[in-house]
Amino acid sequence: LTEVVSMPNHMNKISGDNYTFGEGENIYYAAISDGMGVGKKAHSESNIAIDLLEKFIEAKFDKEVALKTINSILMLKSNDEMCTTLDISMIDLYSGKLQLIKTGAPATFIKKKDRVEVINSQSLPVGILEDVDFNIYEEYLEDGDIIIMMSDGVLEANAKVDNTERWMKDLIAGIGSLNPKIIAEEIIKVASELTADENRDDMTVLVTKVWKTV
């Protein structure tokens, strides 16, 4: 089950963040793409990436081939500099294996029964280099795990701390609810309060809860 809360930056009504989630053959996926900058151009960049990603998942393309193709298309689409992050979670519905695929995306947080894990990446966004730069992280999920993905505008909302990932980890650990919608709403609420409702970047949070079926 995935819930989303998204808020454009205070200067634009159009968010540069796009997202998707759904079920493919034996997999469940969720993804965020954050276009460079804000407004219509950023929205267009991230929308192209998400649209292509959905098509590749439907066609059961190999992940590496799909990312390389998205990268090539973004590089060809415009003479202007055009790039976007991609943050993808893919869950094998039989084994419970999670794959996190990141190109330039911020950390993902996994809320477990007794702790919050932080998975981060040092890769570059797609559309910058001819050879796409991405990292893949894998682990097996447990019943009740909650995957929390976000665009960088959420983490950057707190300019008062040196380590924004640690701040977000503590914030997530302190949320008492296990309801994905409430978790997403609480994170956006705290982030927007910290920017005094003048968020300079778009903010999107995707929260996915997984559980075993008997």
Side-chain angles (χ1 to χ4, degrees), residues 58-183:
E58 197 175 319
K60 300 173 198 165
F61 264 61
D62 173 78
K63 290 181 283 292
E64 189 167 341
V65 173
L67 285 170
K68 284 181 176 177
T69 308
I70 292 168
N71 189 64
S72 298
I73 289 169
L74 283 170
M75 290 189 77
L76 291 168
K77 270 278 180 189
S78 172
N79 293 325
D80 300 328
E81 192 176 57
M82 190 176 193
C83 65
T84 185
T85 68
L86 264 175
D87 196 0
I88 309 162
S89 293
M90 302 190 84
I91 304 165
D92 185 307
L93 293 175
Y94 286 115
S95 67
K97 185 180 186 180
L98 168 71
Q99 280 192 321
L100 293 176
I101 304 153
K102 291 181 175 291
T103 63
T108 293
F109 301 83
I110 303 177
K111 186 177 174 74
K112 293 182 169 286
K113 290 182 176 71
D114 59 346
R115 67 189 185 281
V116 177
E117 292 182 356
V118 184
I119 298 100
N120 49 30
S121 160
Q122 302 301 319
S123 57
L124 293 167
V126 287
I128 288 182
L129 302 175
E130 281 189 34
D131 293 322
V132 66
D133 179 32
F134 65 93
N135 290 335
I136 297 180
Y137 169 87
E138 296 181 339
E139 79 162 69
Y140 285 94
L141 295 170
E142 298 167 350
D143 184 41
D145 281 359
I146 298 169
I147 304 159
I148 301 159
M149 305 163 67
M150 61 191 68
S151 57
D152 60 6
V154 183
L155 279 172
E156 290 167 4
N158 193 346
K160 295 176 183 175
V161 294
D162 294 327
N163 191 326
T164 54
E165 290 177 7
R166 188 181 300 154
W167 161 68
M168 183 55 64
K169 179 182 177 181
D170 292 343
L171 171 59
I172 291 167
I175 297 172
S177 176
L178 299 177
N179 182 318
K181 184 76 171 174
I182 291 172
I183 293 169

Side-chain angles (χ1 to χ4, degrees), residues 176-197:
S177 176
L178 299 177
N179 182 318
K181 184 76 171 174
I182 291 172
I183 293 169
E185 286 174 343
E186 183 64 22
I187 291 169
I188 289 286
K189 175 174 170 281
V190 172
S192 62
E193 284 172 353
L194 283 165
T195 59
D197 293 320

Side-chain angles (χ1 to χ4, degrees), residues 7-14 38-39 199-203:
M7 180 185 291
N9 72 90
H10 75 287
M11 298 291 286
N12 291 275
K13 292 181 180 176
I14 297 174
V38 293
N199 46 309
R200 290 181 293 277
D201 198 0
D202 309 304
M203 297 195 289

